[in-house]
Amino acid sequence: MSLKIKLVDGVDVHAYDLFSKGDPYVVARLVWSDKSKQPLEPTTPRLRSPTAENQGKKPKWDYDFPPQPIVDEDVLFVQVWEDDHPKDKSKEDIKNELIGEQRVSIRDTVLANPGQDIPVSVTVLKKGQVPEKPTGTINFIIRKE
């Protein structure tokens, strides 16, 4: 079994750039959480989308990640980052800003409906703030095959 993950777009995505609209990209990973409440462990490689250059609060990707193998306990872990140097790849070592992150269970939606395209919206939160604040919503279409 595999999972097809299509990154569609974002809504109200926070931008850190002062002089441009923002250059977000998404990192997604399937993880599992065992029943003993241990930390989430990765089950698949880290997947990175292209940067949505200067697209501001409503970035559009329409990007298909490579199909991923799955197990029934999977959770989609999503991070949204601000690419501080989208055109200058010589500065990849410069730390980009984490806009927000979130984990969402796909067991009862996507995994329970094989062969169907399931829309999944993930509201990412800025960690370290009390209370944690929403910093955007990322929309996916996910299909179990």
Side-chain angles (χ1 to χ4, degrees):
M1 288 186 288
S2 67
L3 203 64
K4 290 189 174 182
I5 304 170
K6 181 182 197 82
L7 172 60
V8 180
D9 60 14
V11 178
D12 295 327
V13 175
H14 182 82
Y16 283 97
D17 288 346
L18 295 175
F19 303 109
S20 71
K21 290 185 175 181
D23 306 302
Y25 66 90
V26 172
V27 172
R29 171 177 253 167
L30 292 172
V31 295
W32 61 271
S33 178
D34 74 16
K35 301 201 188 307
S36 67
K37 308 263 189 219
Q38 294 297 315
L40 294 171
E41 297 294 332
T43 60
T44 59
R46 175 183 180 267
L47 305 170
R48 186 194 191 280
S49 76
T51 299
E53 293 183 38
N54 288 316
Q55 292 193 24
K57 292 182 173 256
K58 296 182 179 180
K60 303 231 182 284
W61 286 279
D62 196 33
Y63 178 75
D64 292 304
F65 289 109
Q68 297 299 303
I70 57 170
V71 295
D72 288 338
E73 296 287 320
D74 273 343
V75 167
L76 182 64
F77 177 52
V78 176
Q79 292 180 313
V80 182
W81 293 85
E82 172 66 29
D83 193 342
D84 287 335
H85 301 280
K87 294 183 185 209
D88 188 352
K89 295 306 173 193
S90 69
K91 296 187 177 185
E92 285 189 52
D93 59 328
I94 294 176
K95 186 174 176 167
N96 293 325
E97 290 279 344
L98 178 64
I99 294 172
E101 63 185 19
Q102 187 64 277
R103 291 171 171 87
V104 61
S105 173
I106 57 171
R107 182 177 4 151
D108 296 333
T109 54
V110 176
L111 300 181
N113 296 289
Q116 295 181 29
D117 288 342
I118 307 294
V120 175
S121 293
V122 180
T123 298
V124 294
L125 303 173
K126 180 68 174 176
K127 301 296 181 178
Q129 295 178 347
V130 179
E132 294 176 343
K133 295 182 180 179
T135 53
T137 299
I138 306 301
N139 297 306
F140 297 87
I141 296 174
I142 305 177
R143 177 186 193 96
K144 176 184 174 184
E145 297 192 327

